[in-house]
Amino acid sequence: TMCSVISRVKPVQRALASTLRLRTNADGLNYAAAQSRRFCPGFSTGAQPLWLFESESSTYTYLLADADTKEAVIIDPVLETIDRDLKFVSELGLKLKVAVNTHCHADHITSTGPMKKRVPGLKSAISKCSGASADIHLTEGDKIPFGRHCLIVRETPGHTDGCITLVTGDQTMAFTGDALLIRGCGRTDFQQGCAKRLYKSVHEKIFTLPDECLLYPAHDYLGQTVSTVGEERKYNPRLTKSMEEFVEIMNNLNLPKPKKIDISVPANLVCGVHSI
């Protein structure tokens, strides 16, 4: 079974309660089913990752581990929270094998490079199409194993060329990065963004997963933590539109440039290790 860090380690659950707020607009059976899974994960059907939150960029970092071997993977770690993240890894007795980024982030610097210096044998991973440095360059269908489990890569470009979604082998969970957010999606107005590509990526690579598959985004700005494929296919206000309508929406968001883009992108292209 996959280690459900939240359910097995109560102090962690208490610590997370102050930073993570679950949604209260519980509409639909898919939501109720997901809500049940969030608090009472069944080990035979999969388990929850450990959520870790970075407040400045509203980034979610995820830690997954095999309960038997203690091998673990961390997804989208942030430089400012490296000490906290490695403290959890140490306290839980995990063997961190791979630190993977879902894409080359523009709003924060990854901690994968500095983390490698502190964890012997740790490998960094990112999409080959990102153009960023890493030990492992991922492409469609690649697997990231940890113990008896694995994450399978689905290429989901559109927010950036190098965006990937990481799906558990049993398809009970998917880590969507910025491609698909809860009731939203990543912007497409910089970093090789393309609204048409993003629309196709989500519909062909994410919405084809089972309805009950839990979706974990790289960011949320409203305190929401998890959705399902069925929910987003039915309620996502952007991706329930036609492609033409979606492109029109994305072309008229008029969002400000991310505050840290000028330092984050160059740093993330070299695994978060750069000269100041």
Side-chain angles (χ1 to χ4, degrees):
T1 57
M2 198 181 304
C3 178
S4 177
V5 183
I6 287 179
S7 67
R8 291 190 175 191
V9 186
K10 289 184 179 179
V12 173
Q13 189 173 20
R14 289 196 293 270
L16 290 174
S18 62
T19 56
L20 299 178
R21 303 189 308 278
L22 293 172
R23 288 172 296 159
T24 57
N25 58 326
D27 50 0
L29 292 176
N30 280 328
Y31 181 90
Q35 197 70 335
S36 172
R37 290 280 299 281
R38 287 164 203 171
F39 293 105
C40 306
F43 290 105
S44 62
T45 57
Q48 296 175 319
L50 172 60
W51 287 293
L52 296 163
F53 185 66
E54 195 281 313
S55 59
E56 185 178 358
S57 60
S58 295
T59 297
Y60 288 137
T61 295
Y62 300 100
L63 183 62
L64 293 88
D66 182 284
D68 299 319
T69 68
K70 303 295 185 182
E71 289 186 352
V73 174
I74 195 166
I75 301 172
D76 290 333
V78 181
L79 183 61
E80 284 80 0
T81 51
I82 185 172
D83 291 336
R84 176 203 64 185
D85 296 350
L86 290 181
K87 187 168 183 278
F88 277 123
V89 170
S90 175
E91 288 176 348
L92 298 168
L94 303 179
K95 305 167 191 170
L96 196 57
K97 308 296 286 185
V98 178
V100 56
N101 283 296
T102 53
H103 62 293
C104 186
H105 300 276
D107 57 356
H108 68 268
I109 297 175
T110 180
S111 67
T112 52
M115 196 173 281
K116 282 173 53 182
K117 296 180 179 180
R118 294 171 56 176
V119 179
L122 178 65
K123 301 290 186 184
S124 60
I126 199 168
S127 165
K128 182 178 180 181
C129 292
S130 70
S133 301
D135 298 310
I136 303 167
H137 284 113
L138 301 165
T139 58
E140 181 76 20
D142 284 351
K143 295 182 179 181
I144 302 173
F146 55 106
R148 293 178 294 111
H149 303 279
C150 71
L151 293 169
I152 302 173
V153 174
R154 294 193 177 196
E155 293 181 343
T156 48
H159 171 61
T160 73
D161 280 350
C163 285
I164 56 173
T165 290
L166 300 165
V167 184
T168 55
D170 59 5
Q171 296 193 350
T172 59
M173 294 184 284
F175 301 86
T176 57
D178 282 13
L180 181 62
L181 306 178
I182 297 173
R183 305 299 192 267
C185 63
R187 60 196 291 182
T188 57
D189 58 337
F190 64 86
Q191 264 190 302
Q192 319 98 35
C194 175
K196 286 185 177 179
R197 287 187 82 192
L198 181 57
Y199 189 91
K200 287 188 66 177
S201 291
V202 171
H203 281 267
E204 294 175 5
K205 300 292 183 67
I206 300 176
F207 282 176
T208 52
L209 290 165
D211 274 2
E212 63 274 16
C213 178
L214 298 174
L215 299 178
Y216 295 95
H219 301 281
D220 192 85
Y221 308 98
L222 300 173
Q224 303 167 121
T225 55
V226 61
S227 185
T228 67
V229 169
E231 281 185 62
E232 295 308 314
R233 205 188 296 125
K234 186 173 182 181
Y235 299 118
N236 191 292
R238 297 177 184 176
L239 289 151
T240 49
K241 310 291 189 199
S242 68
M243 181 184 283
E244 291 72 22
E245 292 171 312
F246 177 75
V247 171
E248 181 71 15
I249 291 169
M250 299 306 291
N251 287 345
N252 290 281
L253 292 178
N254 299 316
L255 297 170
K257 189 170 75 167
K259 286 185 287 188
K260 288 189 173 182
I261 187 172
D262 292 330
I263 59 169
S264 295
V265 172
N268 291 334
L269 285 171
V270 290
C271 209
V273 180
H274 64 136
S275 300
I276 302 297

